[in-house]
Amino acid sequence: SPHSFERLPNGNVLATFQNEGPGNAAPGGLAELGPTGDVVRWGRASDGDRYLRPYSLALLPDADRVVSGSADMRGEGDSHVVQVWRLSDLSVIRSIDIPPEWGAAAEPRVLSDGRTVMVTTFGCRLLRISGVDTPTPTAEAVHDFGGTGCALPIVVGDYWIQAVPDAHGLVALDVSDPAAPREVSRVTLSDDDWPHWISLAP
């Protein structure tokens, strides 16, 4: 089952697939899809005995990299992994294990410099991925939004805007220094609002 999609420089689409085959028995991977939805190429997410279910993805074409989160939409298993892939052959370069208390890795985004990747988790941590263009990328937590269930972020220039359900609103961080994000504003909605999906209006 597909989850997220990004347009490639060649016009095709790169998609995460949660699983391969029937049911939810085997981890999926990344698939490049052509204009009619045909699979141009496929890369498997499996890496040792880790529980992997590719979730969302971020592209860095100039660095020949893709970064993906891993979270099971069916809730049948726990995944605490960020994966860094080689875009040119859709092979996994490294699976980065993250502490269970951080929650599953959800949404990676590329910052405005075009080379820095940050990832939110469902445990409301913001991770910075370092060395993404090396054989040994790493992840470190650089901010805690508080609560659980943090969902979709958007990047606007040097700002990271995050849906934070437990805060009943949106939180904006200045990420011009990715190692030390700082909150610059927030919008608090009503107590029964649990923001999840957000998008940038033109």
Side-chain angles (χ1 to χ4, degrees):
S1 51
H3 185 274
S4 294
F5 306 86
E6 290 287 344
R7 182 75 61 184
L8 292 165
N10 66 6
N12 287 345
V13 168
L14 191 65
T16 56
F17 279 76
Q18 289 260 285
N19 55 277
E20 182 178 7
N24 192 26
L30 300 183
E32 181 177 345
L33 307 175
T36 61
D38 52 309
V39 176
V40 175
R41 58 196 180 114
W42 167 262
R44 285 182 174 79
S46 45
D47 187 353
D49 58 358
R50 292 175 176 86
Y51 189 87
L52 300 166
R53 294 297 181 269
Y55 189 78
S56 191
L57 72 161
L59 296 176
L60 297 95
D62 291 343
D64 191 28
R65 294 292 186 269
V66 180
V67 177
S68 64
S70 181
D72 190 348
M73 290 294 291
R74 293 183 172 101
E76 295 176 357
D78 290 327
S79 182
H80 304 286
V81 176
V82 175
Q83 289 192 299
V84 179
W85 306 67
R86 185 178 296 108
L87 177 58
S88 54
D89 63 5
L90 297 186
S91 63
V92 175
I93 293 171
R94 188 168 194 209
S95 298
I96 306 169
D97 296 306
I98 63 173
E101 60 267 24
W102 291 0
E107 301 281 349
R109 296 290 184 271
V110 182
L111 299 190
S112 60
D113 64 9
R115 62 181 184 275
T116 303
V117 177
M118 301 184 91
V119 182
T120 53
T121 73
F122 287 120
C124 289
R125 300 301 206 287
L126 180 61
L127 314 180
R128 180 180 66 153
I129 310 301
S130 299
V132 73
D133 56 350
T134 73
T136 55
T138 58
E140 63 174 328
V142 293
H143 188 79
D144 186 347
F145 291 99
T148 60
C150 282
L152 200 76
I154 53 174
V155 174
V156 185
D158 287 332
Y159 298 98
W160 182 284
I161 303 169
Q162 179 72 46
V164 183
D166 279 352
H168 306 288
L170 306 178
V171 175
L173 303 179
D174 180 338
V175 290
S176 55
D177 178 0
R182 59 185 183 86
E183 183 175 329
V184 292
S185 64
R186 66 172 57 204
V187 174
T188 302
L189 307 173
S190 65
D191 288 348
D192 58 354
D193 285 323
W194 291 81
H196 184 82
W197 288 100
I198 56 174
S199 64
L200 183 65

